[in-house]
Structure formats: structure tokens, C-alpha cells
């Protein structure tokens, strides 16, 4: 058992180190410093992104009072709460409520996460095709994806709550729907919209929102352990009702306040170097071009 744990830890650490090395070798502050950038890539970045010689003034007040960004963080927090519960608590549900051994439940529990991985790649690939074919705006498509994913999470958990005698395949199917189809709300819904809301601050907002979402969602496992004392169906139903309530809330919140439109507070004037000279441009046009060219960009 210890060998398996050490192997898992070693593999995870090795992958992390490889990512760090890759990041160190290929990440540069500006296109001019990159030794392998092509002239086409260089021109594209200058024309569509721009480079500022002066540090950007970050509009923190506008960011944290932006309703679309607040809706984004709420969705992210609820999504992580659901993931942490499914990942950390539901295996115990299968062991205690269904009398499934640890090794068997481990194999069965791989199925929902494999399906979630496939769903995420499917959404990233097909979203621009579906959007272009439907003719709907980016905001409307993101909201539809988000609502569909939320409904799938809610429906899957209600199927467990209202079934007194659940079976193992019922639970596996419900969790698969939760993670696989529920991921439409994440990978096809709210998550990619930071590049649409504020292309200039997408990396910053991603870090800030991820930190806040993890702070909110990390106590999920602890809260669930407080609720689950006797491993009764009623206690587990309470855990699932919390997630249902969260997803009902974020579904309507994102439906009302969610957006994939460029926010005015993210618009800045930049000085863009053009092969030795400087020309003034407004990042609004660049941001709009980036959103149009790469509507499904994942980061």
C-alpha cells in the first residue's frame, strides 16, 4: 500500500517538475525576447495584444464590484465544492452505504472522472462550432451551457436523494452525469469567459478567482464530515442538498449577471511598438478581435 502511495506521489511530482521546466524554457515577458517566435506570431501578438512600456494600473475596485466577475467566482466556488465532495466524500458513501470495498470502489470511481475529462475536451473543441452554427451571441451560448450543466448536477443528485435504496450502478451513473454533463457549466460555460471579460487581466483574474474559490470550497470535506456522523441516508441527503442549493443559486445568478462581453474597466490605452516605432492604440479593438478569433480559448 505504501509503495502505491509513493508511486502516485512520485508521478505527480515528476509531472509538476516537467511543467515547471517547460514553463521556464518557453515563457517570456514580451515577444521580442522569445528566441523561437516566428515573424507571423510576432506580428499577430503586436497587432492583437500590444505591449505596454508602462505598468498597467489594476482597477481593483471595478474588478471586485463587477457583477459578471462576481457571478464567475460564485460559479467557480460552487463547482469546486461539488468536485471536492464527489472526490473526497462520495467514495465513503459507496463504502459505507453500499458496502463496496476500497479497491473495487476505486476502479468504479475512475469512470466519472474519465468521462469528465472527455467531456471537457469535447466542449472545448465543439463550442465554437455550435456557436457559429446556432448564430447565438457568445454570452447567450455561455449561459446556455452553464444552465445545462447546472441542471445536470441538480438532476443527478436529486436522483440519489429521492431514491431510498440506491444501487452501485445508480450511484456511478449519477456521479458520471454530475461530473461529465455537469462539466458543460464549467468548460463550456463560465470558465473560459475571463478572456472575454478582461483579456488584459485574464491571467490575474484567473489567479485571484482560483484562490478565492479554493478558500471557499476547501472546507467542503470538513463541513461534510461534521454533517455525516452516523452514515445515515438522511445525513448524506443533507450533504447533497447543499450542492443542489448551491447550483440552483449559481444557475440563476449566472443567468442574470453572467456575461462574455468585454468590460469597460478592462479597456486601457497601450503604447504598441511596431518594429522600432510606437503607435497608440486602444486595447478595446484588440480585445474584441481576440474574443472573435478565439472564442473557446481555454486556460
Amino acid at each position: 500500500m505504501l509503495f502505491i502511495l509513493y508511486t502516485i506521489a512520485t508521478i505527480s511530482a515528476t509531472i509538476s517538475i516537467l511543467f515547471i521546466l517547460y514553463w521556464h524554457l518557453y515563457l517570456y515577458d514580451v515577444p521580442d525576447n522569445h528566441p523561437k517566435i516566428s515573424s507571423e506570431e510576432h506580428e499577430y501578438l503586436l497587432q492583437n495584444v500590444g505591449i505596454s512600456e508602462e505598468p498597467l494600473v489594476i482597477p481593483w475596485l471595478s474588478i471586485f464590484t463587477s457583477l459578471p466577475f462576481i457571478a464567475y467566482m460564485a460559479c467557480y466556488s460552487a463547482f469546486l465544492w461539488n468536485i471536492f465532495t464527489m472526490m473526497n466524500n462520495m467514495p465513503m458513501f459507496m463504502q459505507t452505504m453500499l458496502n463496496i470495498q476500497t479497491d473495487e470502489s476505486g476502479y468504479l470511481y475512475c469512470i466519472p472522472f474519465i468521462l469528465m475529462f472527455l467531456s471537457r475536451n469535447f466542449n472545448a473543441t465543439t463550442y465554437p462550432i455550435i456557436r457559429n452554427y446556432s448564430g447565438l451571441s457568445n454570452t447567450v451560448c455561455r449561459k446556455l451551457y452553464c444552465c445545462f450543466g447546472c441542471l445536470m448536477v441538480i438532476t443527478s443528485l436529486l436522483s440519489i436523494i429521492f431514491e431510498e435504496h440506491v444501487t452501485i450502478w445508480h450511484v456511478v451513473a449519477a456521479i458520471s452525469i454530475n461530473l461529465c454533463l455537469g462539466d458543460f457549466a464549467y468548460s463550456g460555460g463560465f470558465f473560459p469567459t475571463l478572456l472575454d471579460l478582461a483579456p488584459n487581466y485574464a491571467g490575474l483574474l484567473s489567479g485571484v478567482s482560483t484562490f478565492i474559490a479554493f478558500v471557499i470550497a476547501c472546507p467542503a470535506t470538513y463541513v461534510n464530515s461534521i454533517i455525516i456522523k452516523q452514515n445515515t441516508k438522511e445525513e448524506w441527503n443533507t450533504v447533497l442538498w447543499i450542492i443542489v442549493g448551491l447550483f440552483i443559486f449559481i444557475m440563476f445568478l449566472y443567468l442574470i449577471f453572467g456575461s462574455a462581453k468585454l468590460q469597460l474597466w478592462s479597456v486601457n490605452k497601450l503604447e504598441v511598438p511596431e518594429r522600432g516605432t510606437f503607435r497608440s492604440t486602444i486595447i478595446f479593438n484588440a480585445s474584441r478581435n481576440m474574443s472573435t478569433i478565439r472564442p473557446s480559448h481555454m486556460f
Side-chain angles (χ1 to χ4, degrees):
M1 186 65 180
L2 287 177
F3 173 76
I4 296 176
L5 293 176
Y6 288 144
T7 302
I8 294 173
T10 302
I11 293 174
S12 301
T14 303
I15 294 174
S16 299
I17 292 173
L18 291 176
F19 269 112
I20 292 173
L21 292 175
Y22 180 85
W23 190 267
H24 178 73
L25 291 173
Y26 290 97
L27 181 67
Y28 291 84
D29 292 332
V30 293
D32 289 336
N33 293 340
H34 202 293
K36 297 183 179 181
I37 190 171
S38 66
S39 58
E40 292 80 7
E41 291 174 320
H42 187 276
E43 289 298 329
Y44 175 84
L45 291 173
L46 291 182
Q47 293 175 11
N48 292 280
V49 180
I51 304 171
S52 176
E53 294 293 325
E54 299 179 359
L56 291 176
V57 178
I58 302 174
W60 290 112
L61 180 61
S62 298
I63 288 173
F64 284 106
T65 55
S66 171
L67 291 177
F69 184 61
I70 292 174
Y72 174 94
M73 289 192 295
C75 290
Y76 202 175
S77 301
F79 183 86
L80 289 180
W81 188 286
N82 178 58
I83 287 289
F84 290 158
T85 300
M86 294 298 108
M87 185 168 54
N88 298 328
N89 294 108
M90 291 308 288
M92 185 172 67
F93 176 87
M94 297 176 70
Q95 294 171 24
T96 57
M97 300 298 294
L98 302 175
N99 297 319
I100 304 299
Q101 298 300 318
T102 303
D103 53 351
E104 184 179 357
S105 65
Y107 288 118
L108 291 173
Y109 218 68
C110 288
I111 297 174
F113 286 93
I114 292 174
L115 292 176
M116 183 179 71
F117 171 78
L118 296 175
S119 172
R120 186 160 299 181
N121 286 275
F122 172 82
N123 292 332
T125 304
T126 60
Y127 175 84
I129 300 174
I130 295 175
R131 178 193 167 191
N132 293 333
Y133 180 79
S134 65
L136 298 174
S137 69
N138 195 23
T139 295
V140 172
C141 281
R142 294 298 185 194
K143 288 185 176 183
L144 289 176
Y145 267 74
C146 189
C147 289
F148 174 77
C150 289
L151 287 174
M152 291 299 99
V153 172
I154 294 169
T155 303
S156 65
L157 297 183
L158 289 179
S159 72
I160 298 177
I161 291 173
F162 290 111
E163 178 59 51
E164 292 187 6
H165 305 288
V166 292
T167 64
I168 180 171
W169 288 110
H170 179 179
V171 174
V172 171
I175 297 175
S176 297
I177 292 173
N178 181 309
L179 297 180
C180 176
L181 298 183
D183 198 73
F184 275 65
Y186 177 83
S187 56
F190 69 88
F191 187 72
T193 57
L194 287 184
L195 281 173
D196 300 311
L197 295 175
N200 295 322
Y201 306 106
L204 173 68
L205 297 185
S206 178
V208 170
S209 59
T210 299
F211 172 76
I212 294 175
F214 267 83
V215 168
I216 294 174
C218 275
T221 304
Y222 177 71
V223 172
N224 294 337
S225 67
I226 295 176
I227 297 173
I228 303 168
K229 295 295 185 181
Q230 305 297 326
N231 280 312
T232 63
K233 184 64 165 53
E234 290 73 21
E235 291 174 342
W236 282 103
N237 284 350
T238 301
V239 170
L240 301 182
W241 272 119
I242 292 175
I243 301 176
V244 170
L246 286 174
F247 272 78
I248 291 175
F249 171 73
I250 66 168
M251 181 175 65
F252 285 103
L253 181 70
Y254 196 80
L255 190 62
I256 298 172
F257 298 112
S259 177
K261 295 181 180 179
L262 180 68
Q263 302 299 294
L264 292 178
W265 48 263
S266 71
V267 177
N268 292 281
K269 286 188 176 182
L270 297 179
E271 294 296 326
V272 182
E274 189 175 25
R275 296 302 185 187
T277 61
F278 287 86
R279 59 185 173 86
S280 179
T281 186
I282 299 181
I283 199 63
F284 174 81
N285 293 326
S287 303
R288 183 174 56 186
N289 292 338
M290 290 291 286
S291 177
T292 303
I293 295 171
R294 307 182 71 180
S296 64
H297 183 78
M298 304 293 292
F299 55 94

